[in-house]
Amino acid sequence: MSLQPSRPRSVIVLGKGTLAIRIADWFHRSPDYHLTQVVPVVPEPTWTDSLTAWAHEHGVPVVSSGHYRDIEGVHDASWRVDLAMSVFYGHIIRPWFIAKCERIWNLHNGPLPRYRGVSPINWALKNGEQKHGVTIHEITPGIDDGPIIAQVEYSIYPEFDEVQDVYARALEYGWTLFQQTMPLADRITPRPQDESLATYYSREHDALLGDRRDFTRAASESQVAASDHR
């Protein structure tokens, strides 16, 4: 008597840009997963590739509003998804949606528990760090404080690195971490973050970034000059 093959696991990708596309494409091609839809950041940034365009090209449904609350059927009592994967998604994910996901993970451009919140690369360079990181963690009702699934650290060079340099490096490390983590997903026991090491930055802190606020020092200085003349 042969065993019936297990069904592909349903997955949703929420996010933006090149790395979200690569991860969505990985799920789309995997026989073990069924990518049911993508939820892009809206409006999508013009400085990176469009997740929406990729989805249309590959016949993957798109939540055009960019908000998970508008996923078809999501408010039905029976709606469930096996995995929701957030890759630089813009909305805070509320407990009601978390409860509908068998697993819900986030890929964060920082070495959690350090650099929770926004602009982690900008702040790492501003603070003169010699290394940074990428973390895959469970999403909880808090901000970037869920148990860690996987993490990698890498060297950065604040004496000459621009934000855009480290961002490009982070995308490659994030992609490698994702590919190496997924085959182990069922065997990994997430580990709680060490709250004594936690740091957090919000949008309100962005004004303190100075020449690290934008992708380059020159662009940051232009922003400051423009604001001074208003």
Side-chain angles (χ1 to χ4, degrees):
M1 180 178 176
S2 61
L3 296 175
Q4 291 293 322
S6 58
R7 67 170 179 84
R9 298 178 183 182
S10 59
V11 60
I12 293 171
V13 172
L14 311 94
K16 66 182 178 186
T18 304
L19 185 54
I21 291 169
R22 293 171 88 172
I23 287 174
D25 192 68
W26 187 93
F27 285 122
H28 184 58
R29 295 174 184 274
S30 171
D32 299 321
Y33 290 89
H34 171 49
L35 181 61
T36 63
Q37 52 207 306
V38 300
V39 186
V41 169
V42 174
E44 289 189 288
T46 58
W47 48 263
T48 187
D49 295 331
S50 167
L51 178 60
T52 297
W54 174 87
H56 288 325
E57 181 181 345
H58 291 82
V60 177
V62 176
V63 178
S64 59
S65 71
H67 204 294
Y68 60 87
R69 69 184 173 211
D70 296 322
I71 294 170
E72 185 177 358
V74 73
H75 298 288
D76 296 344
S78 60
W79 190 93
R80 293 289 185 275
V81 69
D82 293 318
L83 173 63
M85 186 77 200
S86 169
V87 188
F88 315 145
Y89 185 57
H91 291 285
I92 293 174
I93 296 178
R94 302 297 181 185
W96 70 265
F97 184 75
I98 295 172
K100 287 177 169 286
C101 304
E102 183 68 25
R103 287 175 173 158
I104 180 165
W105 292 0
N106 180 50
L107 190 149
H108 180 71
N109 257 344
L112 295 176
R114 302 190 66 208
Y115 296 102
R116 293 174 179 172
V118 301
S119 308
I121 290 172
N122 308 62
W123 281 109
L125 289 170
K126 174 72 172 177
N127 294 337
E129 301 282 6
Q130 299 297 311
K131 61 182 180 179
H132 197 54
V134 178
T135 307
I136 297 173
H137 68 97
E138 292 183 342
I139 292 177
T140 59
I143 297 176
D144 299 328
D145 64 355
I148 292 172
I149 308 294
Q151 189 173 73
V152 64
E153 291 189 336
Y154 56 90
S155 295
I156 62 174
Y157 309 93
E159 63 272 21
F160 59 79
D161 266 336
E162 297 280 15
V163 171
Q164 66 183 10
D165 301 324
V166 179
Y167 187 82
R169 208 173 299 148
L171 296 185
E172 294 306 316
Y173 280 108
W175 173 232
T176 298
L177 183 66
F178 170 81
Q179 291 180 95
Q180 294 189 359
T181 300
M182 289 311 301
L184 307 175
D186 292 335
R187 299 165 58 189
I188 295 171
T189 300
R191 64 184 190 277
Q193 296 186 31
D194 184 345
E195 292 296 323
S196 70
L197 301 176
T199 60
Y200 168 75
Y201 294 94
S202 70
R203 286 288 175 213
E204 286 71 30
H205 296 109
D206 278 359
L208 303 176
L209 279 167
D211 66 357
R212 292 302 194 176
R213 187 166 184 172
D214 211 324
F215 274 125
T216 66
R217 291 181 179 91
S220 300
E221 290 165 358
S222 295
Q223 277 193 24
V224 172
S227 63
D228 288 344
H229 286 87
R230 286 174 187 164

